[in-house]
Amino acid sequence: EPRKFAYSIEAKGPGKLNVGVYRYVDTPDPKAKYGYRRQNLPSKRIQSFDLTEKMARYTGEYTIPAGEWNAIEVQSDDGIMVGSVTVDPVPSSGKGR
């Protein structure tokens, strides 16, 4: 089933901060070494932020489609300072974290 997560990134500096996901699916295959075959899907940018010289928190949410696995990617221009990154599941009811 789909799974939603929320992310929060504290950053500052000149330029952009990009948030994306690497995507893949695992297909059962009893003949494979680990019992499945992994297929990489195209990565996806989910949000971009224009930063300022003052440290600020940037947040967002993303829903991983059913049957997919994702890894979050935080990418920035040169000179960006990242203070912290948190990623939390959002309960399926959509209330709170």
Side-chain angles (χ1 to χ4, degrees):
E1 65 182 60
R3 286 107 45 226
K4 184 183 268 192
F5 67 85
Y7 56 89
S8 174
I9 304 164
E10 191 178 43
K12 71 176 184 174
K16 284 191 176 290
L17 181 75
N18 298 308
V19 180
V21 288
Y22 290 110
R23 305 165 52 227
Y24 60 95
V25 293
D26 291 337
T27 305
D29 181 350
K31 295 179 183 179
K33 182 176 181 179
Y34 296 107
Y36 63 88
R37 297 237 178 250
R38 177 156 294 162
Q39 176 187 1
N40 292 318
L41 303 173
S43 60
K44 179 178 182 180
R45 180 175 293 167
I46 56 178
Q47 200 161 12
S48 291
F49 300 100
D50 291 317
L51 301 182
T52 66
E53 292 301 321
K54 184 177 178 185
M55 190 66 80
R57 184 166 302 281
Y58 302 90
T59 63
E61 291 185 346
Y62 179 72
T63 300
I64 301 168
E68 274 190 26
W69 296 95
N70 289 186
I72 191 166
E73 171 193 28
V74 178
Q75 186 182 57
S76 65
D77 294 334
D78 288 340
I80 301 296
M81 176 187 274
V82 175
S84 67
V85 177
T86 59
V87 179
D88 295 301
V90 175
S92 58
S93 67
K95 296 179 182 176
R97 285 188 224 173

